[in-house]
Amino acid sequence: MTGEHQKLALLLFCAFVALTLAITLWAGRRRHGSPEEFYAGGRLFTPMENGFAISGDYMSAASFLGISGLIALYGYDGVLYSVGFLVAWLVVLLFVAELVRNCGRFTLADVVASRLRRPQVRFAAGISSVTVSVLYLVAQMVGAGSLVALLAGGHTGTGARTAAVAGVGALMVTYVVLGGMRATTWIQIVKAVLLLAGALTLTVLVLLRFHGDVGALLESAAGRSGHGADFLAPGLAYGGGVADRLDFLSLGIALVLGTAGLPHILARFYTVPTATSARRSVVWSIGLIGGFYLMTIVLGFGAAALVGGEAVRADDPSGNTAVPLLALDLGGGAASTGGTVLFAVVAAVAFATILAVVTGITLASSASVAHDLYATVRRSRARRRGVRNAGDADGAGAGEVAVARVAAAVIGALAIGLGLLARDLNVAFLVGLAFAVAASANLPVLLYALFWRRFTARGALWAVYGGLGPAVLLVVFSPVVSGSPDALFPGVDFHVFPLQNPGLVSVPLGFLAGWLGTVTSAEPADPVRHAKTEVRALTGAGAA
């Protein structure tokens, strides 16, 4: 890329960073150090504001860069990601939004703990939430590295990628530490508006290039993809054999069920004052997200038609740079002013997307560390010393917030390291792994706690660890980590699990483990506790 690309993209990116830092400082002056302010922004946001913020949280680098890249490379099979991400919101709307808002306070573990008052259960849910959040963060870091590589003309080495990923990590920690949920929410709103505007502009330009003829767009995409008619038919990415077809099914299960278990999405329902507001927030987000994912399909096929599958693959084998390359072509090419401006705008919007999403995820994961892990250990130690109501002691809330800020820095450092290790993987694919873990560990315990009368503490522990353990182990022993040229460690081969996404196996195992733990539990279920949870979930009586 030319120097003009780099300068203009850097200027626009710096402008966004300056704006978001101003928002963070403004929000930081308004915070009072209480957990409710830091974790939930005082619960003062309207459904429309929260709907835009949810959309900003959900429309990540995986959506903007990864999905469009997969469609540009694999056509029909890549569209599965767009469809799966969108359909998942129906599960959230029907089964999760209002109930989570009524039963919880700040985190997923709050919902389970409202039914099962066992510190081990809260601790297990916190561990699972942190694991999912770190996996999701890795995908955003990989996207940041890919953008820097493109801005540097594809000649960047490990040093430039490391600097980019470290810079993103430092900014996200700054946003969380200084601004908490209030700053994070407004950053998400600004980012959602920018991303939707950028995607809409590119979509209109693609359709104008083909005079509004979608058929001509698809025909051209198939012709330049290098795969011909197979590009528009199922099986290009997942049709090589039985394992590929099972991987396709596994991915679909993970995408559709995983959203309802994502910690940073669940945390959004606590920023509004009532359960009705939570449901209306989801309705807003479905409209915004639905329109966006329809646009990613046009952008993916547009990149295949105008840039060409081989050019996309040559620039980045995983397809993460398909949309910036498409913007360059739509603007008039590498040597044109229009191409330079449009490319720079898209690159800046993509960076803004990464920054905003990682901020939300970091806040959710640091909240789990402080509110679920640290607070549980602190209460247990206090009880052993004979101190009652340790959680209500003076300064406990402020101490918890301080731990959350430290946890944000630690989680940021971990995400940076893992992001550099996974730098050659597609970001949408990495997010698919995070969704699989969320659907395997978080969703079973959440649904059982809300709807199953017989559910016990033992069942909750088995559900979390019975889904989390297999999901992580299956990924470790899959072709994602070893045994293939695109693996994290291509030089070794210790994979024994044939599928790249573990959802097909780990999600049923999570539900099965929760059922088995419950029916074999020596401790009977508490019908009174279930009745209270049911009333609270359905009516909001006693909700925070």
Side-chain angles (χ1 to χ4, degrees):
M1 300 298 165
T2 63
E4 286 76 12
H5 290 112
Q6 300 173 29
K7 292 177 182 178
L8 187 55
L10 183 61
L11 180 64
L12 292 173
F13 176 63
C14 289
F16 177 81
V17 171
L19 174 63
T20 52
L21 283 175
I23 292 173
T24 301
L25 293 174
W26 165 78
R29 283 196 292 267
R30 293 170 61 94
R31 61 179 170 84
H32 305 292
S34 68
E36 185 175 35
E37 179 69 27
F38 186 79
Y39 298 143
R43 310 188 198 279
L44 300 175
F45 292 98
T46 67
M48 184 183 72
E49 291 170 346
N50 199 45
F52 270 89
I54 291 173
S55 303
D57 247 336
Y58 199 65
M59 297 183 303
S60 65
S63 304
F64 192 49
L65 301 177
I67 292 177
S68 300
L70 287 173
I71 295 174
L73 295 179
Y74 301 111
Y76 181 97
D77 282 5
V79 176
L80 171 67
Y81 281 87
S82 291
V83 175
F85 282 139
L86 179 56
V87 172
W89 277 101
L90 299 180
V91 178
V92 176
L93 178 63
L94 294 175
F95 298 108
V96 173
E98 285 192 31
L99 305 183
V100 165
R101 174 60 187 84
N102 284 335
C103 288
R105 191 168 172 229
F106 302 127
T107 65
L108 164 70
D110 284 336
V111 180
V112 183
S114 70
R115 166 77 186 278
L116 307 166
R117 295 185 179 276
R118 294 288 189 278
Q120 301 93 331
V121 172
R122 178 182 287 276
F123 193 87
I127 289 290
S128 178
S129 295
V130 173
T131 302
V132 173
S133 298
V134 170
L135 285 173
Y136 210 110
L137 279 172
V138 170
Q140 312 310 314
M141 297 301 184
V142 171
S146 296
L147 274 177
V148 168
L150 184 61
L151 284 170
H155 302 296
T156 180
T158 304
R161 284 179 180 260
T162 302
V165 172
V168 171
L171 284 171
M172 76 182 186
V173 172
T174 300
Y175 295 149
V176 171
V177 170
L178 294 182
M181 180 58 83
R182 189 183 299 274
T184 299
T185 299
W186 282 111
I187 290 170
Q188 297 290 10
I189 293 172
V190 172
K191 168 257 179 160
V193 172
L194 291 176
L195 183 58
L196 287 168
L200 180 61
T201 301
L202 292 180
T203 299
V204 170
L205 291 176
V206 169
L207 293 176
L208 287 176
R209 182 71 67 91
F210 292 92
H211 308 289
D213 189 343
V214 177
L217 167 62
L218 296 177
E219 183 178 349
S220 178
R224 295 203 61 190
S225 67
H227 301 287
D230 292 339
F231 189 71
L232 303 179
L236 190 58
Y238 298 102
V242 175
D244 288 334
R245 290 179 172 85
L246 291 177
D247 229 338
F248 185 86
L249 178 61
S250 185
L251 176 63
I253 291 173
L255 295 182
V256 172
L257 298 180
T259 300
L262 292 177
H264 65 291
I265 297 298
L266 296 178
R268 282 272 153 227
F269 301 136
Y270 303 126
T271 63
V272 290
T274 64
T276 302
S277 298
R279 178 173 283 270
R280 290 174 60 194
S281 297
V282 176
V283 173
W284 269 99
S285 64
I286 286 177
L288 297 170
I289 291 169
F292 174 77
Y293 280 118
L294 289 176
M295 290 187 284
T296 62
I297 297 175
V298 176
L299 297 181
F301 284 115
L306 300 177
V307 180
E310 290 303 318
V312 171
R313 189 174 284 104
D315 192 87
D316 187 334
S318 59
N320 291 331
T321 57
V323 171
L325 292 174
L326 173 64
L328 191 62
D329 185 275
L330 290 172
S336 67
T337 301
T340 299
V341 171
L342 195 56
F343 170 87
V345 169
V346 169
V349 169
F351 260 116
T353 297
I354 293 168
L355 274 177
V357 171
V358 298
T359 302
I361 302 169
T362 303
L363 179 59
S365 55
S366 63
S368 292
V369 171
H371 186 63
D372 300 329
L373 305 184
Y374 165 76
T376 298
V377 172
R378 177 173 52 79
R379 293 189 189 102
S380 297
R381 290 178 176 175
R383 279 194 293 268
R384 286 197 297 268
R385 294 196 303 267
V387 179
R388 301 185 63 184
N389 298 325
D392 302 325
D394 292 340
E400 189 177 302
V401 171
V403 171
R405 293 191 173 106
V406 174
V410 175
I411 291 169
L414 178 60
I416 289 171
L418 293 176
L420 293 173
L421 185 64
R423 62 181 176 271
D424 294 325
L425 296 181
N426 181 276
V427 289
F429 169 75
L430 288 170
V431 166
L433 296 181
F435 273 59
V437 177
S440 303
N442 290 347
L443 186 62
V445 72
L446 180 63
L447 294 183
Y448 280 149
L450 290 173
F451 298 109
W452 192 16
R453 185 181 301 273
R454 292 183 57 193
F455 196 46
T456 64
R458 181 179 182 180
L461 292 174
W462 282 32
V464 172
Y465 294 126
L468 178 63
V472 174
L473 285 176
L474 290 177
V475 170
V476 170
F477 292 104
S478 74
V480 176
V481 176
S482 70
S484 69
D486 299 327
L488 291 179
F489 303 105
V492 295
D493 185 1
F494 50 85
H495 89 281
V496 293
F497 182 66
L499 306 183
Q500 295 189 7
N501 191 291
L504 182 62
V505 176
S506 59
V507 173
L509 282 178
F511 281 97
L512 178 61
W515 172 82
L516 188 61
T518 296
V519 299
T520 60
S521 176
E523 177 188 9
D526 186 344
V528 175
R529 177 64 59 187
H530 169 74
K532 289 181 178 179
T533 301
E534 187 175 39
V535 170
R536 180 174 174 180
L538 296 177
T539 67

